[in-house]
Amino acid sequence: MRATMDLIANGRLADAGLVNICKAAGVSRGALYHHFVSIGEVVAEIHARAQDRVFELAERSFANAGADAPARFSVALGRALAEDRLVRAGLQLAADGTEAPPRLRDEILARVHDEVLAAARDRSDRRVLADLAVVVTAGLESLGYADTAWWNSQNAGRIWDMVLPLFTEAERTVAGRERDAAADLPR
């Protein structure tokens, strides 16, 4: 599994063929097939484990509501991509062990979109905020494959510092409406 993960994380799924995996792992084809029925099964297991890690990052980032939750997730994802080969490999994969949509990347970007939509429920421009969170997160993730500096917390934070005022204003607007509604209630 480690050899397959490294081949995908440092390249692409096509690099994780039988010969390359066996060579990188230092095992025979028979040894590989003793543990796994197919290469697809190995790759699907990598996806599943990466999904657990990335969804855990999302849970932690979005658990504490706040305008900066998408930024917290985006920065945490960048850190994981830079430091964790499993996450780097897994984002490229689908649950069936292929690169076909929906890949883990697609799943997590949909999650970011849904979380922002839910948090900005009373904003008329909530779809725009959700789209913006996806664009920033996807952009940082994609650019990092060519230059890992994009995954750096400081670089991602610098970009989010420019975007966060839009999310903060959305949160203030919702809080103000809730406060106004509570003030109108009879005592």
Side-chain angles (χ1 to χ4, degrees), residues 24-41:
V27 299
S28 69
R29 292 178 191 189
L32 177 76
Y33 286 122
H34 176 73
H35 296 284
F36 296 97
V37 173
S38 67
I39 301 297
E41 184 181 325

Side-chain angles (χ1 to χ4, degrees), residues 6-29:
D6 288 343
L7 289 165
I8 297 168
N10 298 322
R12 53 191 173 42
L13 180 58
D15 297 332
L18 178 65
V19 172
N20 288 345
I21 293 170
C22 290
K23 183 178 178 182
V27 299
S28 69
R29 292 178 191 189

Side-chain angles (χ1 to χ4, degrees), residues 47-70:
H47 171 276
R49 290 181 185 191
Q51 183 181 46
D52 288 346
R53 286 195 188 163
V54 173
F55 280 20
E56 182 181 318
L57 289 175
E59 286 296 322
R60 277 187 278 155
S61 298
F62 289 105
N64 298 325
D68 64 339

Side-chain angles (χ1 to χ4, degrees), residues 1-172:
M1 276 206 42
R2 238 185 334 267
T4 305
M5 179 182 59
D6 288 343
L7 289 165
I8 297 168
N10 298 322
R12 53 191 173 42
L13 180 58
D15 297 332
L18 178 65
V19 172
N20 288 345
I21 293 170
C22 290
K23 183 178 178 182
V27 299
S28 69
R29 292 178 191 189
L32 177 76
Y33 286 122
H34 176 73
H35 296 284
F36 296 97
V37 173
S38 67
I39 301 297
E41 184 181 325
V42 177
V43 175
E45 181 64 22
I46 291 168
H47 171 276
R49 290 181 185 191
Q51 183 181 46
D52 288 346
R53 286 195 188 163
V54 173
F55 280 20
E56 182 181 318
L57 289 175
E59 286 296 322
R60 277 187 278 155
S61 298
F62 289 105
N64 298 325
D68 64 339
R72 284 193 309 261
F73 173 72
S74 186
V75 169
L77 179 63
R79 189 176 311 115
L81 285 162
E83 298 171 359
D84 190 339
R85 297 170 312 203
L86 177 63
V87 170
R88 199 163 52 249
L91 279 185
Q92 300 178 51
L93 304 172
D96 65 359
T98 68
E99 292 175 307
R103 296 175 302 163
L104 180 53
R105 177 186 196 268
D106 304 324
E107 294 174 49
I108 201 64
L109 292 175
R111 170 93 181 259
V112 168
H113 196 268
D114 292 348
E115 293 282 355
V116 174
L117 278 178
R121 67 189 179 280
D122 293 334
R123 287 279 305 244
S124 61
D125 58 352
R126 68 192 185 125
R127 288 210 177 276
V128 174
L129 290 173
D131 291 346
L132 184 58
V134 169
V135 167
V136 173
T137 302
L140 292 168
E141 179 263 340
S142 293
L143 290 167
Y145 286 102
D147 179 0
T148 57
W150 288 103
W151 292 335
N152 179 291
S153 297
Q154 288 78 24
N155 288 337
R158 181 175 46 83
I159 290 168
W160 275 103
D161 285 346
M162 296 299 291
V163 176
L164 272 177
L166 299 170
F167 290 83
T168 304
E169 180 57 34
E171 190 174 82
R172 268 192 242 131

